Amino acid sequence: MTAVFSHGRLRLYLLKLLDDGPRHGYELIRLLEDRFLGLYAPSAGTIYPRLQRLEVEGLVTHTAAGGRKVYEITDAGRAELRQRAGELATLESDITASVEDLSALAGEIQTEVRGSVRDLKRELREATRQTRQSRAARWEPPPARPATNGTPQPAESPLLAEFDQRLAAFTVEVGALVRAGRLSDSKLRTAIRVLDGALDGLRRLLR
């Protein structure tokens, strides 16, 4: 939950939203998400327990409609809103300030991510280019192998050289992606399983 809703303030804001009209839980989540410009959205596990608590306290009630509970503020709920009007005004100001901070942070993160992605792509292109140049410089077509009957055997296919180049580039790129992504242990284990699966597939192909 965003810090602006600490100390029971989300409860107050739910009453404010319900004062505008009856809503079901999903609508309340979407209204909160819209209020925060999509930068924050409470989970169902955050909203529904508070609605149930408000109902126990007699501040809201609900009716069933289309398989959903539609919540509506009671007179007692409106009375609490009137009593806490000053607190609600402060909360609205805090939400506005929080949205501005979140928007600025999101802009900074987006700029940083774009820069990081550009740097990573450039590094991968350079690593791939150097790997290809290195492989091409080292590779020489193998000499024809004489057969027992004296007829030369054809040299190995150039596709083998291309395979070597692709394999080297693959190793460099995967290594760079994994390190740049700072993967968790769980994701690293998944990546290892993917590599093992690819290796098993090649083994079956080459048998």
Side-chain angles (χ1 to χ4, degrees):
M1 185 193 307
T2 183
V4 76
F5 284 136
S6 59
H7 307 298
R9 300 173 89 191
L10 178 58
R11 174 181 180 276
L12 176 62
Y13 205 73
L14 288 174
L15 287 176
K16 184 263 181 190
L17 292 176
L18 290 173
D19 191 40
D20 295 334
R23 314 279 186 187
H24 55 72
Y26 180 78
E27 286 178 308
L28 292 169
I29 291 173
R30 295 286 74 81
L31 285 171
L32 282 163
E33 185 177 17
D34 291 343
R35 181 66 179 86
F36 282 85
L37 304 181
L39 299 172
Y40 163 76
S43 65
T46 297
I47 292 298
Y48 285 103
R50 283 166 175 77
L51 290 172
Q52 292 171 2
R53 181 64 179 172
L54 289 170
E55 190 168 15
V56 169
E57 294 174 358
L59 303 178
V60 304
T61 185
H62 83 269
T63 56
R68 291 178 172 178
K69 291 182 178 181
V70 177
Y71 293 88
E72 185 174 0
I73 193 170
T74 64
D75 290 340
R78 292 190 179 90
E80 177 162 336
L81 279 179
R82 288 194 297 270
Q83 293 170 3
R84 302 176 65 183
E87 185 179 346
L88 182 59
T90 301
L91 176 57
E92 284 284 11
S93 297
D94 290 347
I95 289 174
T96 298
S98 179
V99 170
E100 291 174 354
D101 290 343
L102 287 172
S103 297
L105 178 61
E108 291 174 4
I109 292 174
Q110 187 176 41
T111 300
E112 183 176 345
V113 168
R114 285 175 178 171
S116 298
V117 170
R118 284 195 299 269
D119 291 343
L120 177 59
K121 287 181 177 178
R122 184 169 59 251
E123 290 173 4
L124 289 176
R125 285 195 299 267
E126 180 63 20
T128 301
R129 184 185 65 79
Q130 292 179 359
T131 300
R132 288 175 176 171
Q133 288 179 346
S134 175
R135 297 292 300 183
R138 291 198 305 267
W139 183 79
E140 295 180 0
R145 292 173 296 178
T148 55
N149 59 4
T151 303
Q153 294 289 334
E156 292 181 348
S157 169
L159 286 176
L160 183 58
E162 182 179 350
F163 173 81
D164 288 341
Q165 293 173 5
R166 295 288 180 88
L167 181 60
F170 174 83
T171 302
V172 171
E173 183 168 348
V174 170
L177 286 172
V178 168
R179 286 168 175 77
R182 298 183 181 89
L183 301 183
S184 64
D185 289 346
S186 176
K187 288 185 177 180
L188 280 173
R189 282 192 288 269
T190 301
I192 290 171
R193 286 197 295 271
V194 169
L195 290 175
D196 288 342
L199 181 58
D200 288 341
L202 284 172
R203 285 171 177 160
R204 289 193 294 271
L205 176 66
L206 299 174
R207 282 175 183 167

